[in-house]
Amino acid sequence: MASLHLIPDSSFVLFLAPPAWGKTRMIEELWREGERGIIFISPLRALALEVHERFKKSKEVFYLEGQGEWRDVQKKFDKASKPFLIATPECLHGEFYDYLESLEKRPLIVIDEFHLFYLWGETFRPHLFESLMGFALSKAPILGLSATMAPELIQRWKFEFSLSMDHLFLIDLGNQTLLKPPRFKHFYFSFFPEMFRRRFIYELLHNQKETFLYFCSRRSEVDQWLDFCARRGISALGCKGGEVQSFIESLKKCPEPQVIFSTSALSHGVNLPPLSKVFIGEALGRKDFWLQMAGRGGRKGEQYELFSFDEFEESLKNKTKRFLKEFFFDFKVKWKLLINFE
């Protein structure tokens, strides 16, 4: 990836690679071996904090917590020979983009989880999309990172940034793929949710020395499952949107829970313990969302199984065959659970 050191001004490189490929490690190499400073922008505060934790030993690394801090951070940024600034988009404003545009030697802008700037930027976080326009107009070189960029978003990126940037480059090392596929995928049709939940409870009761991840469709479902585990003495942690930092602190105190329940909040970023099984508790209907959740398994090289209501690579005939295996196994599950809960 030596050529990434040479990204010229007014250029956008969209770098696509599977989850757990090592994109953060690549950024570290770009910073240490390159000549430019780096501004690392993440739409996820927890992920921005993790990156800061990794780099903070250097005196040239700065973390921007809010808009009001930029002027103080700017003084330090100007003095550093090769600064590394970490921030979320909401911490940036017009003065920051004007500053970028005024620099003779502009830093490399690294935009992590680039697809989220489109998916969230036009709905509940408009500042994400606004920040993209600010970066483009600054003429600074941009490196966008993603593992799950839908084809329609790639086409939109090409069209929109061709209007403001001189050069666009696409590097695809495995978009919408898994670096570590599950050793086995269990498929369920969405009109059999009770069968899915029974299988989860069965696995939970019979694999007590492993860690599972269960994605819930609603915040209230996280609470319901936590209550279920508490009443049975099962070690469990929960995570919901807006509470990721609190979850990280809980994980430090309990680094190997038997199960983690989460909304989509944990589908990106946050380091988790090795997972033996990943359960996606609703039909997502989108491959990019599904891959982000499925890709939480195997990040440390471990073998894992995936249980979900989605399958994007097989025919209906093959999906039906796989479902029938789960259907017949469900008779065993019902019997075992009947014994356990008598």
Side-chain angles (χ1 to χ4, degrees), residues 2 10 13 15 24 44-45 56 76 106 118 144 193-194 210 216 221-222 234 252 257 275 294 298 313 324 334 338 342:
S10 192
V13 176
F15 188 92
T24 304
L44 303 165
R45 181 171 294 276
K56 70 178 183 180
K76 301 174 184 177
R106 297 180 178 91
Y118 281 119
E194 291 301 324
E210 302 174 3
C216 302
E221 187 182 359
V222 174
I234 297 171
K252 289 178 181 178
L275 303 169
E313 298 173 353
L324 287 175
K334 289 178 180 176
L338 181 64
E342 276 186 343

Side-chain angles (χ1 to χ4, degrees), residues 234-298:
I234 297 171
S235 172
L237 295 179
C239 182
K240 293 174 278 191
E243 301 176 6
V244 176
Q245 195 54 40
S246 174
F247 166 78
I248 292 173
E249 295 303 317
S250 298
L251 189 59
K252 289 178 181 178
K253 299 175 183 177
C254 180
E256 295 181 351
Q258 189 177 340
V259 59
I260 297 169
F261 298 102
S262 177
T263 59
S264 59
L266 289 185
S267 60
H268 296 79
V270 187
N271 286 323
L272 299 176
L275 303 169
S276 64
K277 293 176 175 61
V278 176
F279 295 81
I280 303 176
E282 64 174 323
L284 301 170
R286 286 193 55 157
K287 187 176 182 180
D288 48 357
F289 292 172
W290 179 83
L291 280 167
Q292 287 289 351
M293 294 182 181
R296 299 307 290 159

Side-chain angles (χ1 to χ4, degrees), residues 73-324:
V73 172
Q74 180 185 337
K75 297 174 184 177
K76 301 174 184 177
F77 193 89
D78 287 334
K79 293 178 181 179
S81 59
K82 198 166 58 174
F84 191 115
L85 176 67
I86 302 164
T88 56
E90 282 81 2
C91 296
L92 311 177
H93 49 82
E95 184 180 352
F96 171 84
Y97 302 110
D98 292 340
Y99 169 81
L100 272 183
E101 194 171 354
S102 70
L103 292 176
E104 183 177 342
K105 184 178 180 181
R106 297 180 178 91
L108 173 64
I109 309 297
V110 177
I111 303 178
D112 199 31
E113 305 294 355
F114 178 63
H115 59 285
L116 293 181
F117 282 73
Y118 281 119
L119 297 178
W120 294 351
E122 291 188 332
T123 52
F124 65 99
R125 288 180 66 183
H127 206 94
L128 269 65
F129 195 69
E130 293 170 9
S131 68
L132 291 183
M133 293 186 283
F135 291 133
L137 294 174
S138 74
K139 301 299 181 181
I142 300 175
L143 175 61
L145 306 176
S146 179
T148 55
M149 197 78 176
E152 62 272 17
L153 293 184
I154 294 177
Q155 292 304 313
R156 184 174 170 184
W157 163 76
K158 289 179 180 178
F159 173 74
E160 293 179 348
F161 281 90
S162 66
L163 302 176
S164 55
M165 311 290 284
D166 293 339
H167 307 285
L168 299 181
F169 304 94
L170 176 63
I171 300 175
D172 188 348
L173 300 184
N175 182 37
Q176 294 199 333
T177 62
L178 293 173
L179 184 66
K180 180 75 174 180
R183 68 183 180 89
F184 196 84
K185 292 190 290 185
H186 302 264
F187 173 75
Y188 295 80
F189 284 115
S190 59
F191 39 84
F192 286 94
E194 291 301 324
M195 186 191 302
F196 182 90
R197 286 192 283 269
R198 277 196 300 270
R199 181 60 181 268
F200 167 68
I201 295 171
Y202 170 84
E203 297 292 340
L204 195 63
L205 296 176
H206 291 81
N207 298 278
Q208 298 181 3
K209 295 183 179 181
E210 302 174 3
T211 298
F212 301 168
L213 174 61
Y214 190 108
F215 283 105
C216 302
S217 59
R218 303 177 309 280
R219 298 170 66 90
S220 60
E221 187 182 359
V222 174
D223 296 328
Q224 289 165 4
W225 278 118
L226 288 175
D227 180 64
F228 173 89
C229 290
R231 286 185 279 111
R232 289 163 178 80
I234 297 171
S235 172
L237 295 179
C239 182
K240 293 174 278 191
E243 301 176 6
V244 176
Q245 195 54 40
S246 174
F247 166 78
I248 292 173
E249 295 303 317
S250 298
L251 189 59
K252 289 178 181 178
K253 299 175 183 177
C254 180
E256 295 181 351
Q258 189 177 340
V259 59
I260 297 169
F261 298 102
S262 177
T263 59
S264 59
L266 289 185
S267 60
H268 296 79
V270 187
N271 286 323
L272 299 176
L275 303 169
S276 64
K277 293 176 175 61
V278 176
F279 295 81
I280 303 176
E282 64 174 323
L284 301 170
R286 286 193 55 157
K287 187 176 182 180
D288 48 357
F289 292 172
W290 179 83
L291 280 167
Q292 287 289 351
M293 294 182 181
R296 299 307 290 159
R299 296 180 72 90
K300 292 179 170 61
E302 75 274 13
Q303 296 282 335
Y304 71 103
E305 295 180 53
L306 176 66
F307 299 76
S308 76
F309 295 104
D310 292 287
E311 175 54 68
F312 299 94
E313 298 173 353
E314 294 189 4
S315 65
L316 177 60
K317 179 180 179 181
N318 288 336
K319 287 194 289 187
T320 302
K321 287 181 179 179
R322 289 177 51 197
F323 171 76
L324 287 175

